[in-house]
């Protein structure tokens, strides 16, 4: 499991697990450190994809099913043990959706809550018509990357660092830009779903996520753009909200 998951502190006594999926080009550390912030009733697992961090020498995945299969192979026994929630931002929202879909359809398991951030539903019109950024020349790609924020300027200005960073980002974007799924005929989940987004980000069709669940559906907006969650103030609000939601789910479970 350690190959696929970063966890800064195992908590066997935890009542719930929060499984976090990285944004495009991202690693696992940003989410893994949430395990040091959230209370002891929660254990945080951050998904670590090939082509980065300790898996830097591994080839990038080429399709969504590869991610789903690897995550389920690593986590399925643990997901059967106790309640879990899924969190994904941007690219991570798509991967968490794909994992949730297979968990329900193949294993009749579902999270106690889905947290989806910074992304339109994968079957929404606005997402299907979105331009394919991964095919841009590097200079245009960097202009777009600068425009959405969240990437330190010193990184963008360092050609050597960019050579390490850009391949993973473009590989993830290529994967998700070619990921297709149909709008569910009926909701396949019954758990609550919460969508988050930055008020200054490009418009996302968050309402379309409502189609995946028959449970409660909520949207919460934050000050900031695409990487609103990197702001310390926003992160605190986000984690306080997730904590409140999962503590309530724990009480319901018990």
């Amino acid at each position: 499991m350690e190959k696929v998951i970063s966890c800064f502190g195992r908590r066997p006594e935890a009542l719930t697990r929060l499984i976090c999926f990285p944004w495009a080009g991202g690693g696992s550390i940003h989410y893994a450190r949430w395990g040091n912030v959230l209370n002891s009733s929660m254990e945080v697992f951050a998904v670590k994809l090939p082509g980065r961090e300790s898996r830097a020498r591994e080839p990038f995945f080429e399709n969504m099913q590869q991610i789903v299969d690897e995550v389920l192979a690593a986590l399925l026994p643990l997901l059967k043990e106790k309640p879990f929630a899924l969190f994904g931002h941007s690219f991570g929202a798509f991967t968490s959706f794909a994992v949730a879909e297979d968990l329900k359809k193949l294993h009749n398991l579902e999270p106690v809550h889905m947290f989806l951030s910074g992304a339109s539903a994968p079957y929404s019109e606005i997402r299907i018509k979105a331009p394919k950024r991964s095919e841009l020349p590097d200079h245009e790609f960097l202009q777009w990357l600068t425009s959405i924020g969240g990437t330190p300027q010193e990184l963008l200005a360092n050609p050597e660092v960019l050579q390490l960073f850009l391949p993973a980002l473009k590989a993830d974007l290529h994967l998700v830009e070619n990921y297709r799924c149909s709008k569910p005929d009926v909701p396949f989940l019954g758990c609550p779903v919460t969508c988050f987004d930055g008020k200054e980000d490009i418009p996302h069709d968050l309402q379309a996520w409502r189609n995946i669940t028959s449970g409660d559906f909520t949207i919460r907006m934050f000050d900031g753009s695409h990487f609103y969650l990197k702001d310390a103030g926003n992160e605190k609000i986000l984690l306080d909200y997730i904590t409140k939601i999962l503590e309530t789910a724990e009480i319901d479970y018990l």
Side-chain angles (χ1 to χ4, degrees):
M1 187 188 79
E2 288 73 17
K3 173 184 172 182
V4 181
I5 298 296
S6 290
C7 179
F8 281 2
R10 293 302 303 272
R11 293 175 174 170
E13 77 286 358
L15 297 177
T16 56
R17 291 189 173 104
L18 178 64
I19 319 297
C20 300
F21 296 80
W23 51 75
S28 61
I29 303 304
H30 181 89
Y31 294 129
R33 66 180 180 79
W34 284 3
N36 296 331
V37 179
L38 296 174
N39 67 45
S40 60
S41 70
M42 297 171 221
E43 187 175 46
V44 177
F45 287 172
V47 173
K48 181 172 25 175
L49 297 177
R52 66 215 78 192
E53 298 177 321
S54 61
R55 306 183 67 184
R57 294 184 180 275
E58 297 179 42
F60 302 118
F61 282 150
E62 297 180 357
N63 61 71
M64 186 65 76
Q65 196 60 47
Q66 288 177 294
I67 297 177
V68 173
D69 290 346
E70 182 178 71
V71 169
L72 293 191
L75 290 183
L76 188 59
L78 295 173
L79 297 182
K80 293 178 178 179
E81 286 181 352
K82 61 182 68 175
F84 63 93
L86 305 181
F87 177 96
H89 175 72
S90 196
F91 171 77
F94 294 121
T95 54
S96 60
F97 164 80
V99 166
E101 189 173 38
D102 265 26
L103 272 173
K104 184 65 176 180
K105 292 182 177 178
L106 300 180
H107 306 284
N108 199 30
L109 288 173
E110 67 175 82
V112 294
H113 206 104
M114 285 277 289
F115 301 102
L116 302 165
S117 171
S120 300
Y123 44 79
S124 65
E125 195 71 17
I126 192 172
R127 183 259 167 175
I128 292 170
K129 292 183 176 179
K132 293 194 173 185
R133 308 291 185 184
S134 65
E135 298 176 356
L136 292 173
D138 281 354
H139 69 284
E140 291 182 31
F141 186 79
L142 288 174
Q143 289 176 351
W144 167 73
L145 196 59
T146 301
S147 73
I148 65 172
T151 306
Q153 284 300 316
E154 56 269 26
L155 188 155
L156 294 173
N158 188 322
E160 293 181 359
V161 175
L162 280 177
Q163 287 306 309
L164 298 173
F165 169 68
L166 281 186
L169 177 54
K170 283 197 164 187
D172 288 352
L173 286 177
H174 179 76
L175 184 156
V176 79
E177 285 168 354
N178 290 282
Y179 170 58
R180 292 289 181 267
C181 66
S182 301
K183 176 181 175 181
D185 293 327
V186 295
F188 62 89
L189 295 176
C191 69
V193 172
T194 300
C195 290
F196 307 112
D197 214 354
K199 294 176 184 176
E200 285 80 54
D201 199 358
I202 61 170
H204 293 123
D205 188 353
L206 303 179
Q207 287 289 345
W209 287 110
R210 184 186 292 274
N211 296 299
I212 71 174
T213 186
S214 58
D216 292 341
F217 179 78
T218 307
I219 293 175
R220 289 204 59 172
M221 304 297 292
F222 287 80
D223 292 332
S225 55
H226 189 60
F227 284 103
Y228 72 87
L229 72 172
K230 287 188 174 184
D231 174 82
N234 283 340
E235 183 179 65
K236 184 180 186 310
I237 296 170
L238 180 70
L239 293 182
D240 285 348
Y241 180 84
I242 290 174
T243 298
K244 181 180 177 181
I245 291 290
L246 294 187
E247 285 179 341
T248 302
E250 289 166 9
I251 292 171
D252 291 343
Y253 176 76
L254 293 173

